[in-house]
Amino acid sequence: MTDKLDEMIETAAAMVAAGRGVLAIDESTGTCKKRFDSIGVECTEQSRRDYRHMLLSTPDLGEHISGSILFDETLRQSSADGVPLTKIMQDNGIIPGIKVDKGAHPLAGFEGEKITEGLDGLRERLNEYYELGARFAKWRAVITISEDNPSQACIDANCHALARYAALCQEAGLVPMVEPEVLMEGDHDLQTAYEVTLLTLKTLFDQLFDQNVVLEACILKSSMVVPGADCPEQADVDDVAEATLDCFFNAVPASLAGIVFLSGGQSEIEATEHLDAMNRMGTLPWPLSFSYGRALQSSALKVWGANPQDNVKAAQAELSHRARMNGLATMGQYESKLESE
């Protein structure tokens, strides 16, 4: 375990190194179909392969992208030329990661709440994923805010599953990325989002401690503390940054390897601005980086979808730009004027 632990600690540190973050392209086939439908591209195994190959082969992407979360299908795929996508990633300095949960399903007895499934058989799957080249994994839980939710039972169940998953990851030599996402859906205000996020994170780290998870070899993927999308009073960039950091200071141990944010429905620019604002707020006990899906892919997807054969370089340029902007944000060096350069 010592050799594996040393490797995991090294991997976790590399994932959140200054100026770099994680590209999330682990959308399920169903979610990918929705994205492709929006650009008029048929969702087939080949089109998904071609799209993700386009992203992962972006020249010099590794300068700002440290790792990428893949779907099971992608981890096993090769390019049209027969080169494994994992090799393309490694040659580009990008660490392969893998989504391992089986999705969020209704929590029995608790209307409107969900529990993430996938622990059965996970040990065997993790060992296989390590052999296939993955060096970190991700498990997402969702917490919904409404008039009656979330319940403590929902938070407890999801955090316990996250901790059991994390322990199994470290047993297999994979860095666990634990993702308790507090959804933006709803009309709740900033204070409510803060209270739910704080309770969720405190519960999560209690569970991780109970399951003997080594925090120096663990990454938190967190939502930012933001009001619900339907809240009449939206918060400005500094309010979100202050609320999020205050929440983390009260719940996240300093020994954690790092924190990466999900974009959770934010626009590309909003996600970058929020990350930058937090990294301008003085010295922090953990690196703050990004693990964005749509907030890195949206522009590239639109450009590629307009002509998948001819627009590869143009789409890669869009991804490269967003990766660079977010890389600067991890160091508090982003400026809006750079968007037009």
Side-chain angles (χ1 to χ4, degrees):
M1 180 67 177
T2 303
D3 289 343
K4 279 188 175 180
L5 181 57
D6 289 343
E7 180 187 42
M8 287 186 289
I9 291 173
E10 185 178 326
T11 298
M15 289 168 64
V16 290
R20 303 174 83 204
V22 176
L23 169 65
I25 55 171
D26 58 325
E27 302 90 353
S28 66
T29 301
T31 300
C32 200
K33 183 179 185 307
K34 292 177 184 176
R35 304 272 170 87
F36 280 21
D37 285 348
S38 73
I39 56 170
V41 173
E42 185 181 2
C43 185
T44 64
E45 183 178 352
Q46 181 177 327
S47 63
R48 293 190 297 272
R49 187 272 315 273
D50 290 346
Y51 173 65
R52 285 161 171 162
H53 174 236
M54 177 275 293
L55 296 174
L56 295 170
S57 61
T58 296
D60 301 320
L61 186 64
E63 289 184 12
H64 304 294
I65 297 297
S66 58
S68 183
I69 312 167
L70 308 178
F71 193 55
D72 180 275
E73 173 185 78
T74 314
L75 186 69
R76 303 173 189 277
Q77 285 178 322
S78 297
S79 69
D81 297 330
V83 182
L85 295 187
T86 51
K87 185 178 189 310
I88 290 169
M89 295 172 69
Q90 291 159 348
D91 289 348
N92 218 349
I94 299 170
I95 303 166
I98 179 70
K99 171 188 174 179
V100 300
D101 68 72
K102 296 293 187 178
H105 300 269
L107 179 60
F110 294 86
E111 186 175 351
E113 298 195 279
K114 294 186 175 182
I115 178 70
T116 300
E117 299 179 353
L119 288 173
D120 289 349
L122 181 58
R123 174 179 275 120
E124 291 74 23
R125 289 194 290 127
L126 291 172
N127 289 330
E128 181 189 14
Y129 289 143
Y130 187 93
E131 293 301 317
L132 288 170
R135 288 299 177 266
F136 71 97
K138 190 204 79 168
W139 180 289
R140 173 178 178 254
V142 294
I143 306 298
T144 302
I145 299 177
S146 68
E147 187 174 341
D148 301 317
N149 296 328
S151 65
Q152 186 66 55
C154 176
I155 292 173
D156 287 345
N158 275 295
C159 289
H160 180 69
L162 278 164
R164 286 191 59 202
Y165 138 83
L168 286 166
C169 279
Q170 292 188 342
E171 177 187 84
L174 296 167
V175 173
M177 180 181 282
V178 291
E179 180 183 0
E181 179 178 1
V182 177
L183 297 176
M184 285 178 63
E185 298 168 5
D187 59 2
H188 52 275
D189 60 15
L190 186 68
Q191 182 61 29
T192 302
Y194 175 90
E195 292 169 358
V196 171
T197 304
L198 182 63
L199 176 59
T200 301
L201 291 177
K202 283 187 172 183
T203 305
L204 173 63
F205 283 99
D206 283 346
Q207 292 283 354
L208 291 171
F209 178 80
D210 288 345
Q211 297 296 324
N212 291 328
V213 174
V214 180
L215 295 186
E216 292 86 349
C218 182
I219 300 290
L220 170 66
K221 179 168 179 174
S222 178
S223 41
M224 299 178 193
V225 177
V226 293
D230 298 326
C231 178
E233 188 175 338
Q234 290 296 312
D236 63 25
V237 171
D238 287 339
D239 286 341
V240 168
E242 289 172 5
T244 304
L245 283 184
D246 184 61
C247 186
F248 288 171
F249 279 125
N250 280 289
V252 181
S255 56
L256 184 73
I259 300 169
V260 295
F261 288 104
L262 56 95
S263 48
Q266 299 179 53
S267 71
E268 291 179 330
I269 302 298
E270 285 173 337
T272 304
E273 288 177 338
H274 286 142
L275 177 60
D276 179 71
M278 281 181 262
N279 278 304
R280 289 178 183 265
M281 292 185 171
T283 303
L284 304 172
W286 353 253
L288 288 187
S289 188
F290 58 92
S291 176
Y292 295 156
R294 277 173 290 181
L296 277 170
Q297 294 183 53
S298 289
S299 294
L301 178 66
K302 290 175 185 175
V303 171
W304 177 81
N307 192 327
Q309 297 299 319
D310 297 337
N311 285 4
V312 169
K313 288 186 178 179
Q316 289 177 333
E318 294 287 346
L319 174 62
S320 182
H321 173 71
R322 286 261 54 85
R324 177 171 168 260
M325 294 300 99
N326 285 298
L328 290 170
T330 67
M331 301 180 288
Q333 296 175 6
Y334 168 77
E335 296 179 39
S336 59
K337 67 180 182 182
L338 297 172
E339 295 288 356
S340 58
E341 290 183 1

PDB file of all heavy atoms in Angstrom, residues 30-57:
ATOM      1  N   GLY A  30     -26.544   8.757 -22.766  1.00  0.00           N
ATOM      2  CA  GLY A  30     -27.785   9.529 -22.840  1.00  0.00           C
ATOM      3  C   GLY A  30     -27.550  11.018 -22.792  1.00  0.00           C
ATOM      4  O   GLY A  30     -28.137  11.787 -23.569  1.00  0.00           O
ATOM      5  N   THR A  31     -26.676  11.457 -21.885  1.00  0.00           N
ATOM      6  CA  THR A  31     -26.357  12.890 -21.787  1.00  0.00           C
ATOM      7  C   THR A  31     -25.626  13.365 -23.029  1.00  0.00           C
ATOM      8  O   THR A  31     -25.877  14.455 -23.550  1.00  0.00           O
ATOM      9  CB  THR A  31     -25.502  13.159 -20.533  1.00  0.00           C
ATOM     10  OG1 THR A  31     -26.227  12.749 -19.372  1.00  0.00           O
ATOM     11  CG2 THR A  31     -25.154  14.637 -20.419  1.00  0.00           C
ATOM     12  N   CYS A  32     -24.722  12.530 -23.531  1.00  0.00           N
ATOM     13  CA  CYS A  32     -23.986  12.888 -24.744  1.00  0.00           C
ATOM     14  C   CYS A  32     -24.951  13.050 -25.916  1.00  0.00           C
ATOM     15  O   CYS A  32     -24.785  13.950 -26.742  1.00  0.00           O
ATOM     16  CB  CYS A  32     -22.946  11.803 -25.046  1.00  0.00           C
ATOM     17  SG  CYS A  32     -21.624  12.354 -26.137  1.00  0.00           S
ATOM     18  N   LYS A  33     -25.962  12.211 -25.983  1.00  0.00           N
ATOM     19  CA  LYS A  33     -26.954  12.324 -27.054  1.00  0.00           C
ATOM     20  C   LYS A  33     -27.666  13.672 -26.995  1.00  0.00           C
ATOM     21  O   LYS A  33     -27.896  14.307 -28.033  1.00  0.00           O
ATOM     22  CB  LYS A  33     -27.972  11.187 -26.971  1.00  0.00           C
ATOM     23  CG  LYS A  33     -28.993  11.204 -28.119  1.00  0.00           C
ATOM     24  CD  LYS A  33     -29.979  10.063 -28.024  1.00  0.00           C
ATOM     25  CE  LYS A  33     -30.906  10.015 -29.247  1.00  0.00           C
ATOM     26  NZ  LYS A  33     -31.588  11.284 -29.535  1.00  0.00           N
ATOM     27  N   LYS A  34     -28.010  14.120 -25.802  1.00  0.00           N
ATOM     28  CA  LYS A  34     -28.665  15.430 -25.664  1.00  0.00           C
ATOM     29  C   LYS A  34     -27.751  16.540 -26.184  1.00  0.00           C
ATOM     30  O   LYS A  34     -28.211  17.462 -26.871  1.00  0.00           O
ATOM     31  CB  LYS A  34     -29.019  15.697 -24.200  1.00  0.00           C
ATOM     32  CG  LYS A  34     -30.106  14.793 -23.646  1.00  0.00           C
ATOM     33  CD  LYS A  34     -30.341  15.076 -22.162  1.00  0.00           C
ATOM     34  CE  LYS A  34     -31.352  14.108 -21.566  1.00  0.00           C
ATOM     35  NZ  LYS A  34     -31.512  14.323 -20.100  1.00  0.00           N
ATOM     36  N   ARG A  35     -26.469  16.451 -25.861  1.00  0.00           N
ATOM     37  CA  ARG A  35     -25.507  17.468 -26.330  1.00  0.00           C
ATOM     38  C   ARG A  35     -25.395  17.422 -27.852  1.00  0.00           C
ATOM     39  O   ARG A  35     -25.379  18.454 -28.516  1.00  0.00           O
ATOM     40  CB  ARG A  35     -24.134  17.231 -25.696  1.00  0.00           C
ATOM     41  CG  ARG A  35     -24.138  17.191 -24.169  1.00  0.00           C
ATOM     42  CD  ARG A  35     -23.973  18.552 -23.544  1.00  0.00           C
ATOM     43  NE  ARG A  35     -24.218  18.479 -22.105  1.00  0.00           N
ATOM     44  CZ  ARG A  35     -23.298  18.174 -21.202  1.00  0.00           C
ATOM     45  NH1 ARG A  35     -22.068  17.892 -21.581  1.00  0.00           N
ATOM     46  NH2 ARG A  35     -23.605  18.163 -19.912  1.00  0.00           N
ATOM     47  N   PHE A  36     -25.303  16.221 -28.406  1.00  0.00           N
ATOM     48  CA  PHE A  36     -25.159  16.075 -29.851  1.00  0.00           C
ATOM     49  C   PHE A  36     -26.446  16.482 -30.573  1.00  0.00           C
ATOM     50  O   PHE A  36     -26.394  17.048 -31.669  1.00  0.00           O
ATOM     51  CB  PHE A  36     -24.767  14.643 -30.211  1.00  0.00           C
ATOM     52  CG  PHE A  36     -23.291  14.350 -30.036  1.00  0.00           C
ATOM     53  CD1 PHE A  36     -22.497  15.122 -29.212  1.00  0.00           C
ATOM     54  CD2 PHE A  36     -22.690  13.295 -30.708  1.00  0.00           C
ATOM     55  CE1 PHE A  36     -21.151  14.865 -29.052  1.00  0.00           C
ATOM     56  CE2 PHE A  36     -21.340  13.018 -30.564  1.00  0.00           C
ATOM     57  CZ  PHE A  36     -20.562  13.804 -29.730  1.00  0.00           C
ATOM     58  N   ASP A  37     -27.603  16.177 -29.970  1.00  0.00           N
ATOM     59  CA  ASP A  37     -28.872  16.607 -30.569  1.00  0.00           C
ATOM     60  C   ASP A  37     -28.915  18.124 -30.716  1.00  0.00           C
ATOM     61  O   ASP A  37     -29.456  18.653 -31.699  1.00  0.00           O
ATOM     62  CB  ASP A  37     -30.058  16.145 -29.709  1.00  0.00           C
ATOM     63  CG  ASP A  37     -30.336  14.650 -29.842  1.00  0.00           C
ATOM     64  OD1 ASP A  37     -29.762  14.022 -30.759  1.00  0.00           O
ATOM     65  OD2 ASP A  37     -31.121  14.127 -29.036  1.00  0.00           O
ATOM     66  N   SER A  38     -28.334  18.827 -29.745  1.00  0.00           N
ATOM     67  CA  SER A  38     -28.369  20.294 -29.769  1.00  0.00           C
ATOM     68  C   SER A  38     -27.544  20.891 -30.906  1.00  0.00           C
ATOM     69  O   SER A  38     -27.743  22.048 -31.292  1.00  0.00           O
ATOM     70  CB  SER A  38     -27.874  20.857 -28.428  1.00  0.00           C
ATOM     71  OG  SER A  38     -26.465  20.700 -28.286  1.00  0.00           O
ATOM     72  N   ILE A  39     -26.603  20.094 -31.448  1.00  0.00           N
ATOM     73  CA  ILE A  39     -25.770  20.590 -32.554  1.00  0.00           C
ATOM     74  C   ILE A  39     -26.054  19.832 -33.851  1.00  0.00           C
ATOM     75  O   ILE A  39     -25.351  20.016 -34.852  1.00  0.00           O
ATOM     76  CB  ILE A  39     -24.270  20.504 -32.210  1.00  0.00           C
ATOM     77  CG1 ILE A  39     -23.874  19.060 -31.834  1.00  0.00           C
ATOM     78  CG2 ILE A  39     -23.914  21.469 -31.078  1.00  0.00           C
ATOM     79  CD1 ILE A  39     -22.381  18.818 -31.708  1.00  0.00           C
ATOM     80  N   GLY A  40     -27.051  18.950 -33.816  1.00  0.00           N
ATOM     81  CA  GLY A  40     -27.446  18.249 -35.032  1.00  0.00           C
ATOM     82  C   GLY A  40     -26.501  17.157 -35.478  1.00  0.00           C
ATOM     83  O   GLY A  40     -26.392  16.857 -36.678  1.00  0.00           O
ATOM     84  N   VAL A  41     -25.812  16.529 -34.521  1.00  0.00           N
ATOM     85  CA  VAL A  41     -24.896  15.428 -34.844  1.00  0.00           C
ATOM     86  C   VAL A  41     -25.465  14.136 -34.279  1.00  0.00           C
ATOM     87  O   VAL A  41     -25.880  14.087 -33.121  1.00  0.00           O
ATOM     88  CB  VAL A  41     -23.488  15.684 -34.265  1.00  0.00           C
ATOM     89  CG1 VAL A  41     -22.588  14.455 -34.446  1.00  0.00           C
ATOM     90  CG2 VAL A  41     -22.848  16.904 -34.919  1.00  0.00           C
ATOM     91  N   GLU A  42     -25.483  13.085 -35.104  1.00  0.00           N
ATOM     92  CA  GLU A  42     -25.985  11.802 -34.636  1.00  0.00           C
ATOM     93  C   GLU A  42     -25.051  11.243 -33.564  1.00  0.00           C
ATOM     94  O   GLU A  42     -23.825  11.283 -33.710  1.00  0.00           O
ATOM     95  CB  GLU A  42     -26.087  10.804 -35.793  1.00  0.00           C
ATOM     96  CG  GLU A  42     -26.707   9.474 -35.404  1.00  0.00           C
ATOM     97  CD  GLU A  42     -26.774   8.491 -36.555  1.00  0.00           C
ATOM     98  OE1 GLU A  42     -26.289   8.839 -37.664  1.00  0.00           O
ATOM     99  OE2 GLU A  42     -27.281   7.370 -36.349  1.00  0.00           O
ATOM    100  N   CYS A  43     -25.619  10.726 -32.484  1.00  0.00           N
ATOM    101  CA  CYS A  43     -24.828  10.192 -31.375  1.00  0.00           C
ATOM    102  C   CYS A  43     -24.583   8.700 -31.592  1.00  0.00           C
ATOM    103  O   CYS A  43     -25.453   7.858 -31.323  1.00  0.00           O
ATOM    104  CB  CYS A  43     -25.544  10.433 -30.047  1.00  0.00           C
ATOM    105  SG  CYS A  43     -24.574   9.945 -28.605  1.00  0.00           S
ATOM    106  N   THR A  44     -23.404   8.366 -32.100  1.00  0.00           N
ATOM    107  CA  THR A  44     -23.005   6.974 -32.300  1.00  0.00           C
ATOM    108  C   THR A  44     -21.688   6.748 -31.565  1.00  0.00           C
ATOM    109  O   THR A  44     -21.029   7.704 -31.129  1.00  0.00           O
ATOM    110  CB  THR A  44     -22.795   6.662 -33.789  1.00  0.00           C
ATOM    111  OG1 THR A  44     -21.683   7.458 -34.276  1.00  0.00           O
ATOM    112  CG2 THR A  44     -24.047   7.000 -34.599  1.00  0.00           C
ATOM    113  N   GLU A  45     -21.298   5.485 -31.452  1.00  0.00           N
ATOM    114  CA  GLU A  45     -20.011   5.214 -30.801  1.00  0.00           C
ATOM    115  C   GLU A  45     -18.873   5.915 -31.537  1.00  0.00           C
ATOM    116  O   GLU A  45     -17.959   6.474 -30.921  1.00  0.00           O
ATOM    117  CB  GLU A  45     -19.751   3.711 -30.750  1.00  0.00           C
ATOM    118  CG  GLU A  45     -18.456   3.365 -30.024  1.00  0.00           C
ATOM    119  CD  GLU A  45     -18.200   1.878 -29.923  1.00  0.00           C
ATOM    120  OE1 GLU A  45     -19.099   1.089 -30.283  1.00  0.00           O
ATOM    121  OE2 GLU A  45     -17.098   1.506 -29.488  1.00  0.00           O
ATOM    122  N   GLN A  46     -18.940   5.939 -32.863  1.00  0.00           N
ATOM    123  CA  GLN A  46     -17.875   6.586 -33.637  1.00  0.00           C
ATOM    124  C   GLN A  46     -17.883   8.097 -33.451  1.00  0.00           C
ATOM    125  O   GLN A  46     -16.822   8.710 -33.298  1.00  0.00           O
ATOM    126  CB  GLN A  46     -18.028   6.255 -35.125  1.00  0.00           C
ATOM    127  CG  GLN A  46     -16.932   6.895 -35.974  1.00  0.00           C
ATOM    128  CD  GLN A  46     -17.021   6.521 -37.448  1.00  0.00           C
ATOM    129  OE1 GLN A  46     -17.433   5.426 -37.784  1.00  0.00           O
ATOM    130  NE2 GLN A  46     -16.642   7.447 -38.322  1.00  0.00           N
ATOM    131  N   SER A  47     -19.069   8.731 -33.470  1.00  0.00           N
ATOM    132  CA  SER A  47     -19.110  10.186 -33.332  1.00  0.00           C
ATOM    133  C   SER A  47     -18.668  10.617 -31.932  1.00  0.00           C
ATOM    134  O   SER A  47     -17.984  11.632 -31.768  1.00  0.00           O
ATOM    135  CB  SER A  47     -20.511  10.729 -33.636  1.00  0.00           C
ATOM    136  OG  SER A  47     -21.475  10.261 -32.717  1.00  0.00           O
ATOM    137  N   ARG A  48     -19.038   9.811 -30.924  1.00  0.00           N
ATOM    138  CA  ARG A  48     -18.568  10.120 -29.570  1.00  0.00           C
ATOM    139  C   ARG A  48     -17.052   9.975 -29.496  1.00  0.00           C
ATOM    140  O   ARG A  48     -16.365  10.806 -28.886  1.00  0.00           O
ATOM    141  CB  ARG A  48     -19.245   9.193 -28.537  1.00  0.00           C
ATOM    142  CG  ARG A  48     -20.735   9.427 -28.389  1.00  0.00           C
ATOM    143  CD  ARG A  48     -21.311   8.677 -27.196  1.00  0.00           C
ATOM    144  NE  ARG A  48     -21.216   7.220 -27.294  1.00  0.00           N
ATOM    145  CZ  ARG A  48     -22.112   6.445 -27.868  1.00  0.00           C
ATOM    146  NH1 ARG A  48     -23.196   6.983 -28.425  1.00  0.00           N
ATOM    147  NH2 ARG A  48     -21.963   5.134 -27.907  1.00  0.00           N
ATOM    148  N   ARG A  49     -16.523   8.916 -30.132  1.00  0.00           N
ATOM    149  CA  ARG A  49     -15.078   8.711 -30.169  1.00  0.00           C
ATOM    150  C   ARG A  49     -14.377   9.870 -30.866  1.00  0.00           C
ATOM    151  O   ARG A  49     -13.389  10.422 -30.375  1.00  0.00           O
ATOM    152  CB  ARG A  49     -14.786   7.383 -30.882  1.00  0.00           C
ATOM    153  CG  ARG A  49     -13.332   6.903 -30.871  1.00  0.00           C
ATOM    154  CD  ARG A  49     -12.491   7.451 -32.033  1.00  0.00           C
ATOM    155  NE  ARG A  49     -13.107   7.411 -33.329  1.00  0.00           N
ATOM    156  CZ  ARG A  49     -13.064   6.355 -34.168  1.00  0.00           C
ATOM    157  NH1 ARG A  49     -12.496   5.241 -33.798  1.00  0.00           N
ATOM    158  NH2 ARG A  49     -13.611   6.449 -35.379  1.00  0.00           N
ATOM    159  N   ASP A  50     -14.901  10.277 -32.021  1.00  0.00           N
ATOM    160  CA  ASP A  50     -14.264  11.346 -32.789  1.00  0.00           C
ATOM    161  C   ASP A  50     -14.275  12.668 -32.022  1.00  0.00           C
ATOM    162  O   ASP A  50     -13.292  13.416 -32.039  1.00  0.00           O
ATOM    163  CB  ASP A  50     -14.980  11.525 -34.131  1.00  0.00           C
ATOM    164  CG  ASP A  50     -14.750  10.353 -35.074  1.00  0.00           C
ATOM    165  OD1 ASP A  50     -13.834   9.547 -34.803  1.00  0.00           O
ATOM    166  OD2 ASP A  50     -15.490  10.246 -36.076  1.00  0.00           O
ATOM    167  N   TYR A  51     -15.392  12.942 -31.350  1.00  0.00           N
ATOM    168  CA  TYR A  51     -15.493  14.194 -30.591  1.00  0.00           C
ATOM    169  C   TYR A  51     -14.500  14.212 -29.431  1.00  0.00           C
ATOM    170  O   TYR A  51     -13.749  15.183 -29.246  1.00  0.00           O
ATOM    171  CB  TYR A  51     -16.922  14.377 -30.075  1.00  0.00           C
ATOM    172  CG  TYR A  51     -17.069  15.557 -29.137  1.00  0.00           C
ATOM    173  CD1 TYR A  51     -16.876  16.864 -29.588  1.00  0.00           C
ATOM    174  CD2 TYR A  51     -17.382  15.366 -27.789  1.00  0.00           C
ATOM    175  CE1 TYR A  51     -16.989  17.947 -28.735  1.00  0.00           C
ATOM    176  CE2 TYR A  51     -17.494  16.447 -26.933  1.00  0.00           C
ATOM    177  CZ  TYR A  51     -17.304  17.729 -27.404  1.00  0.00           C
ATOM    178  OH  TYR A  51     -17.413  18.799 -26.542  1.00  0.00           O
ATOM    179  N   ARG A  52     -14.472  13.121 -28.677  1.00  0.00           N
ATOM    180  CA  ARG A  52     -13.587  13.100 -27.512  1.00  0.00           C
ATOM    181  C   ARG A  52     -12.118  13.017 -27.924  1.00  0.00           C
ATOM    182  O   ARG A  52     -11.244  13.584 -27.252  1.00  0.00           O
ATOM    183  CB  ARG A  52     -13.996  11.949 -26.592  1.00  0.00           C
ATOM    184  CG  ARG A  52     -15.284  12.303 -25.834  1.00  0.00           C
ATOM    185  CD  ARG A  52     -16.012  11.131 -25.257  1.00  0.00           C
ATOM    186  NE  ARG A  52     -17.104  11.554 -24.375  1.00  0.00           N
ATOM    187  CZ  ARG A  52     -18.113  10.790 -23.993  1.00  0.00           C
ATOM    188  NH1 ARG A  52     -18.184   9.532 -24.441  1.00  0.00           N
ATOM    189  NH2 ARG A  52     -19.045  11.239 -23.189  1.00  0.00           N
ATOM    190  N   HIS A  53     -11.852  12.354 -29.051  1.00  0.00           N
ATOM    191  CA  HIS A  53     -10.481  12.340 -29.574  1.00  0.00           C
ATOM    192  C   HIS A  53     -10.062  13.752 -29.970  1.00  0.00           C
ATOM    193  O   HIS A  53      -8.927  14.180 -29.712  1.00  0.00           O
ATOM    194  CB  HIS A  53     -10.382  11.404 -30.780  1.00  0.00           C
ATOM    195  CG  HIS A  53      -9.049  11.460 -31.454  1.00  0.00           C
ATOM    196  ND1 HIS A  53      -8.892  11.760 -32.794  1.00  0.00           N
ATOM    197  CD2 HIS A  53      -7.796  11.268 -30.969  1.00  0.00           C
ATOM    198  CE1 HIS A  53      -7.601  11.750 -33.101  1.00  0.00           C
ATOM    199  NE2 HIS A  53      -6.916  11.451 -32.019  1.00  0.00           N
ATOM    200  N   MET A  54     -10.984  14.497 -30.591  1.00  0.00           N
ATOM    201  CA  MET A  54     -10.695  15.886 -30.955  1.00  0.00           C
ATOM    202  C   MET A  54     -10.289  16.682 -29.720  1.00  0.00           C
ATOM    203  O   MET A  54      -9.285  17.417 -29.723  1.00  0.00           O
ATOM    204  CB  MET A  54     -11.926  16.510 -31.621  1.00  0.00           C
ATOM    205  CG  MET A  54     -11.782  17.985 -31.997  1.00  0.00           C
ATOM    206  SD  MET A  54     -12.150  19.166 -30.659  1.00  0.00           S
ATOM    207  CE  MET A  54     -13.918  18.886 -30.442  1.00  0.00           C
ATOM    208  N   LEU A  55     -11.028  16.519 -28.613  1.00  0.00           N
ATOM    209  CA  LEU A  55     -10.716  17.263 -27.394  1.00  0.00           C
ATOM    210  C   LEU A  55      -9.365  16.848 -26.818  1.00  0.00           C
ATOM    211  O   LEU A  55      -8.500  17.692 -26.534  1.00  0.00           O
ATOM    212  CB  LEU A  55     -11.808  17.026 -26.345  1.00  0.00           C
ATOM    213  CG  LEU A  55     -13.224  17.512 -26.666  1.00  0.00           C
ATOM    214  CD1 LEU A  55     -14.193  17.046 -25.581  1.00  0.00           C
ATOM    215  CD2 LEU A  55     -13.282  19.035 -26.788  1.00  0.00           C
ATOM    216  N   LEU A  56      -9.160  15.543 -26.671  1.00  0.00           N
ATOM    217  CA  LEU A  56      -7.973  15.050 -25.980  1.00  0.00           C
ATOM    218  C   LEU A  56      -6.684  15.237 -26.773  1.00  0.00           C
ATOM    219  O   LEU A  56      -5.597  15.267 -26.199  1.00  0.00           O
ATOM    220  CB  LEU A  56      -8.159  13.569 -25.639  1.00  0.00           C
ATOM    221  CG  LEU A  56      -9.280  13.266 -24.638  1.00  0.00           C
ATOM    222  CD1 LEU A  56      -9.537  11.770 -24.557  1.00  0.00           C
ATOM    223  CD2 LEU A  56      -8.932  13.834 -23.265  1.00  0.00           C
ATOM    224  N   SER A  57      -6.796  15.371 -28.105  1.00  0.00           N
ATOM    225  CA  SER A  57      -5.604  15.543 -28.935  1.00  0.00           C
ATOM    226  C   SER A  57      -5.300  17.015 -29.218  1.00  0.00           C
ATOM    227  O   SER A  57      -4.429  17.326 -30.040  1.00  0.00           O
ATOM    228  CB  SER A  57      -5.773  14.781 -30.258  1.00  0.00           C
ATOM    229  OG  SER A  57      -6.892  15.271 -30.995  1.00  0.00           O
TER     230      SER A  57
END
